[in-house]
Amino acid sequence: MSAAIEAVVMPKWGLAMQEGMLAAWLVEEGETIAKGQEIAEIETSKIANVFESPAAGLLRRRVAAAGETLPVGALLAVLAPESVSEAEIDRFVADFRERFAAALASGATEAAPEPRTVEAGGRRIRYLEVGAGEGPPVVFVHGFGGDLSSWTLNQEALAAAHRTLALDLPGHGGSDKALATGSLEELAAAVAAFLEALAIPRAHLVGHSLGGAVAMRLALDRPAAVASLTLVAPAGFGAEIESGYLEGFLREKRARKLRPVLEMLVRDPAGISREMVEEVLRYKRLDGVPEALSRIVEACFAGGRQRIDLRPRIGELPMPVQLLWGREDRILPVRHAEGLPETVTVTILEDCGHLAHMEKAAECNAAIARILTRA
Amino acid sequence: MPKKSFREAVNEALRQEMERDPTVILMGEDVAGGMGAPGEDDAWGGPLGVTKGLMPRFGRERVLDTPISESAFVGAAVGAAATGLRPVAELMFVDFMGVCFDQIFNQAAKFRYMFGGKATTPLVVRTMYGAGFRAASQHSQCLYNIFTHIPGLKVAIPSNAYEAKGLLIQAIRDDDPVMFFEHKAMYDEEAEVPDEPYTIPFGEANVAREGEDVTVVALGRMVNFANEAADRLEGEGISCTVVDLRTTSPLDRETVLETAEETGRVVVVDEAHPRCSMAADIAALIAQEAFDALRAPVRMVTAPHAPVPFSPALEDLYIPGPDRIVEAVREVHGYGRG
């Protein structure tokens, strides 16, 4: 009978995730759940998110309690038909735990890949490379104030079949912090230098927000180097930007004050984890970071308006181009995705804010996978 | 991110600031070691090896082994600071500061005021404090409260390796004299510490965890104990906010009062003796400014009003540990609930 019992385990959302905190159950024991149904809320060091059931069945037991922090792969719940006895479920849980404990003890869980650095264009650029595959690699470019870990929910999914690289823009993450002007051109040139330093003649670019504008600037400057372009809520498609976000991000030095600012990024404020707030604070304390961020704001978003305008030129791009945008984006309004040439595929994501690649990671990953096959 | 010990974090902060700014120098007893004697140079790197490796890198002109005379070398450091250098003096044990009271309290702390703002004294005095090292009553005190009392001094008390590096770099770049407290039992404790230089501003307490029932205000090593206590209390259904003061001067009154008002139940944890302590200071602040929000008397968890004992068994009892914090939180939490 035990073949009919299924384990629901702590998911692995992204490269860095080693453990997750079960914040809340959304289903009760005795409910029949569908595959893809939202069954729990899970918090990681990066983001809190809803967990969609990987399987369908009758929820017989919630093994993990709300508030528990468990390693990836640990047992959360048991699905089984009514015919399975409680005793059988007890045995299944005990067996599973024993095997899992043994696997943990033997170190069978793999270590997260480590970022590396490369000298590019006179700067030290940090990047994380994962996966291998035929054809041009996928290169991820984060947004203002972000870093390569912004893509933690996307990189691994795509690395299953592709070589993927996520870099830290100058002024960000573990890359050198100095910026001459903070202009889009300077940032795009830095990404171009990075690709040259790693001898990557052609890549699929995926950029978020300011990183979307950087990727598009690079695609305009060097169309032959860009195989496809995925822009997630990119800058450069309208004048409006939530200036309160930029100002607050620069100004706030305490977690309690910074949190409401970061909450503007997502539709569900609970999605901003304590660790994420702490990481941003730690980043902002690094030497050179306040200056770099101020320069970028001055060059690209002075006076609370976008000073970069890429919209008129999107039709010139010869490679496949798509835009992904959260319907409820509070930083860059979703209407910036309207009125574009038909050659550009636009996907609007419902119930989603500015961090579409995190909030709707599965949809974004599927869209990126699709454009890779078109190029 | 790389894990580093408290010792490595302090060493890295000193090294990076010495690289960045040629006016930063180190002074103290055996900060290199081996001065004037045959045998190994850089034999010590301070009594617990914190400054090891800095003399070979920067030379004896910038890493000065001094005579065993705190009044002389702390005075020299104050003068060097007033005349253009940024000295980091190591006062081996804070217990020894009695012999350099005048240099610190009357000179360094007062220059900016006495000279009408025309003089600055960018001095850092690093010093070891705290019990638990089996070093008896003359090498185990806290005494940060005494420096906090003096206008013109800043006082930083980091609670882990990350905090230590950021607060020390801030201290070195600060134009006022800063007393920097390192707990001798914490040097091997590790935390994630960025390789790059960074600063943690003074006067901004860190809310190390957020809870709903009781606010625990702590500093230095006591922050670890408060977090440990809070972990245990979580299992009993009591959730705690833990505030790490980071600096006692300047003091982040805003965060202390805000977090005290949120729960109305406060425990202050301080490794020092209770009289005229930081615990008493914080408790008074809350009683005066947040009285209406209080739902229980503020409880202080401190060492007793007694010298630190040499007997290991007694010393262990002397240090305010997680058990006593748990007890105090339970009491404050239950107060008035019948």
Side-chain angles (χ1 to χ4, degrees), chain A residues 342-359:
Chain A
E342 279 176 11
T343 49
V344 178
T345 312
V346 176
T347 307
I348 305 298
L349 299 154
E350 302 298 332
D351 299 326
C352 179
H354 188 57
L355 300 184
H357 56 300
M358 298 179 119
E359 294 174 79

Side-chain angles (χ1 to χ4, degrees), chain B residues 37-51:
Chain B
E40 192 187 350
D41 264 359
D42 196 36
W44 283 90
L48 294 180
V50 178
T51 48

Side-chain angles (χ1 to χ4, degrees), chain B residues 242-263:
Chain B
V242 174
V243 177
D244 173 1
L245 290 177
R246 280 186 176 147
T247 57
T248 56
S249 192
L251 177 70
D252 185 354
R253 293 161 52 102
E254 187 189 328
T255 297
V256 169
L257 291 172
E258 190 182 291
T259 53
E261 282 165 3
E262 279 165 6
T263 63

Side-chain angles (χ1 to χ4, degrees), chain A residues 15 30 39 107 128 154 190 193 225 257 263 267 283 285 355 357 367 370:
Chain A
L15 300 166
I39 58 169
L128 179 65
N154 316 102
K257 299 269 171 62
E263 282 175 355
R267 179 180 164 273
Y283 157 65
R285 290 179 191 135
L355 300 184
H357 56 300
R370 275 198 302 276

Side-chain angles (χ1 to χ4, degrees), chain B:
Chain B
M1 189 159 302
K3 286 220 167 199
K4 290 169 197 160
S5 69
F6 197 104
R7 176 187 286 104
E8 289 167 322
V10 170
N11 186 285
E12 191 168 277
L14 293 170
R15 176 169 59 75
Q16 289 179 340
E17 284 308 285
M18 291 180 82
E19 278 165 359
R20 193 184 66 85
D21 181 350
T23 68
V24 177
I25 61 161
L26 305 187
M27 310 172 68
E29 293 158 8
D30 279 337
V31 287
M35 184 69 179
E40 192 187 350
D41 264 359
D42 196 36
W44 283 90
L48 294 180
V50 178
T51 48
K52 188 105 177 138
L54 296 176
M55 191 280 287
R57 194 178 186 102
F58 298 103
R60 288 214 180 262
E61 287 197 344
R62 293 182 68 192
V63 181
L64 294 121
D65 276 339
T66 65
I68 306 178
S69 172
E70 286 81 5
S71 44
F73 78 79
V74 171
V78 173
T83 51
L85 294 178
R86 286 187 183 268
V88 180
E90 181 174 305
L91 179 55
M92 194 181 278
F93 292 95
V94 71
D95 313 70
F96 304 166
M97 64 96 172
V99 296
C100 43
F101 255 41
D102 185 65
Q103 290 78 348
I104 296 173
F105 293 176
N106 259 344
Q107 309 308 327
K110 302 297 193 290
F111 281 168
R112 182 192 282 278
Y113 181 76
M114 295 297 287
F115 296 120
K118 289 181 181 160
T120 56
T121 312
L123 163 74
V124 180
V125 179
R126 290 179 44 242
T127 190
M128 287 196 289
Y129 77 102
F133 214 64
R134 311 305 186 220
S137 55
Q138 295 154 321
H139 303 81
S140 302
Q141 299 168 85
C142 289
L143 304 183
Y144 36 66
N145 48 321
I146 295 181
F147 298 92
T148 307
H149 181 71
I150 307 294
L153 296 179
K154 292 177 178 171
V155 182
I157 309 162
S159 61
N160 61 45
Y162 173 81
E163 299 282 326
K165 180 173 170 184
L167 288 170
L168 182 52
I169 292 179
Q170 177 69 33
I172 294 170
R173 294 180 191 176
D174 200 291
D175 278 341
D176 289 313
V178 179
M179 299 298 299
F180 190 85
F181 281 78
E182 301 166 18
H183 199 295
K184 55 182 92 66
M186 289 174 74
Y187 280 123
D188 291 321
E189 289 180 11
E190 292 190 337
E192 287 188 349
V193 178
D195 292 332
E196 291 169 83
Y198 59 93
T199 53
I200 298 175
F202 286 176
E204 288 186 12
N206 180 33
V207 181
R209 72 195 275 154
E210 289 184 84
E212 272 141 36
D213 300 318
V214 177
T215 300
V216 183
V217 181
L219 65 166
R221 190 185 186 202
M222 295 298 113
V223 176
N224 288 348
F225 290 171
N227 278 319
E228 199 181 318
D231 281 340
R232 278 155 56 180
L233 288 156
E234 200 81 56
E236 300 177 15
I238 301 176
S239 81
C240 296
T241 292
V242 174
V243 177
D244 173 1
L245 290 177
R246 280 186 176 147
T247 57
T248 56
S249 192
L251 177 70
D252 185 354
R253 293 161 52 102
E254 187 189 328
T255 297
V256 169
L257 291 172
E258 190 182 291
T259 53
E261 282 165 3
E262 279 165 6
T263 63
R265 298 173 193 273
V266 184
V267 171
V268 191
V269 191
D270 182 355
E271 192 190 318
H273 314 298
R275 304 284 316 281
C276 305
S277 63
M278 285 317 303
D281 188 65
I282 300 295
L285 171 70
I286 293 168
Q288 184 161 295
E289 305 293 336
F291 185 76
D292 288 342
L294 287 180
R295 293 193 274 172
V298 178
R299 272 287 309 259
M300 308 198 305
V301 176
T302 68
H305 188 71
V308 182
F310 185 48
S311 147
L314 287 178
E315 187 180 22
D316 291 344
L317 284 172
Y318 171 96
I319 300 168
D323 288 346
R324 288 185 48 207
I325 301 170
V326 165
E327 224 172 276
V329 169
R330 276 193 202 129
E331 193 185 311
V332 166
H333 181 253
Y335 183 88
R337 293 181 203 261

